[in-house]
Amino acid sequence: MAREINFVQSRRKQLTKNQENDLKIFKISGAVFGVLVVVFVIALGINFYLQFRIKGIKDQEKRMETQILSNGLIEQSILVTTEKLKILAELFDQRYDKQAAIEYFSNIFGPEVLIKDINYAADEKILSLRIQATSIFILEQVFAQLSNPEVEKKFGIINKSELIRNDRGRYSMAITLSLGEEAAKTTTTKKK
């Protein structure tokens, strides 16, 4: 009995096994490729999302920078205006002090004494007045008023100088006094 050797059948079995192995490898490769494609798509999506967010943040940063710069100009303008207002307030205070002093002396001297020349040194807060009295008796009253402790308390030391008598018998004299804080310092120093 002759045995028949069938090479085709064993070859077929081996090919089927190889095909099954190839099919497994193909499926695994396909799955890996699919996972890689999904990971790539997700990474690409994340990249696009992050780029979009970065662009939004940069735009927001530019808007904020512009706003800060414009606010800086507004702040600078406000500071300049505030400083101007402070200076104006000081000038008005000085002007008020000067006018109040002139009015005060006009009231205490009375109508017989004429305040002729007025000079005001704003930096030192020193007021200089030239007064004119119609007689020596009125001038004595002026001296008495200037020596009054209330006047000294209000203005500190009052310097009297340049006493002159003209041809008509009228007397003129220069008075120099400090206004504001300077007067208070002078008075305090004198009392010590």
Side-chain angles (χ1 to χ4, degrees):
M1 185 151 53
R3 243 176 144 186
E4 283 184 32
I5 300 178
N6 190 354
F7 291 109
V8 176
Q9 187 178 6
S10 75
R11 182 85 178 136
R12 248 179 222 235
K13 281 184 184 179
Q14 194 175 2
L15 280 177
T16 307
K17 237 183 194 185
N18 283 341
Q19 283 178 343
E20 286 176 2
N21 284 339
D22 287 346
L23 188 59
K24 278 183 183 178
I25 292 173
F26 180 73
K27 284 181 181 180
I28 291 172
S29 298
V32 169
F33 180 73
V35 168
L36 289 176
V37 167
V38 169
V39 168
F40 177 74
V41 168
I42 290 172
L44 193 61
I46 290 173
N47 186 27
F48 282 138
Y49 174 74
L50 292 176
Q51 290 294 331
F52 176 74
R53 291 283 300 186
I54 288 172
K55 185 179 182 290
I57 289 171
K58 284 184 179 179
D59 290 344
Q60 185 179 8
E61 182 182 346
K62 285 179 184 176
R63 283 193 306 270
M64 290 178 130
E65 185 178 335
T66 304
Q67 185 179 5
I68 288 170
L69 290 176
S70 68
N71 287 347
L73 294 175
I74 291 170
E75 184 178 339
Q76 183 180 12
S77 174
I78 289 171
L79 287 174
V80 168
T81 303
T82 303
E83 288 302 314
K84 285 180 181 179
L85 288 175
K86 284 180 185 175
I87 291 170
L88 285 174
E90 288 175 14
L91 289 174
F92 280 122
D93 285 345
Q94 291 173 0
R95 182 176 174 201
Y96 176 77
D97 289 346
K98 179 181 89 171
Q99 289 175 339
I102 292 169
E103 185 177 332
Y104 178 80
F105 284 113
S106 293
N107 288 334
I108 66 166
F109 291 156
E112 298 290 323
V113 177
L114 175 66
I115 298 177
K116 291 180 75 174
D117 296 329
I118 301 169
N119 290 320
Y120 180 63
D123 293 340
E124 295 89 19
K125 294 185 179 181
I126 295 178
L127 178 65
S128 298
L129 305 170
R130 177 159 289 285
I131 61 168
Q132 185 177 24
T134 55
S135 70
I136 189 70
F137 304 111
I138 302 295
L139 188 62
E140 283 180 6
Q141 290 175 1
V142 167
F143 279 120
Q145 289 293 339
L146 293 175
S147 299
N148 187 341
E150 183 181 316
V151 174
E152 191 175 287
K153 181 180 176 185
K154 189 169 184 134
F155 296 104
I157 298 173
I158 298 175
N159 294 323
K160 302 168 251 350
S161 61
E162 301 176 24
L163 179 61
I164 301 171
R165 181 176 186 262
N166 67 13
D167 295 340
R168 295 184 187 156
R170 294 184 181 195
Y171 292 88
S172 69
M173 176 176 60
I175 299 173
T176 306
L177 55 114
S178 296
L179 297 178
E181 295 173 12
E182 296 298 319
K185 286 180 186 173
T186 306
T187 305
T188 312
T189 306
K190 185 179 175 190
K191 288 182 180 178
K192 290 181 181 177

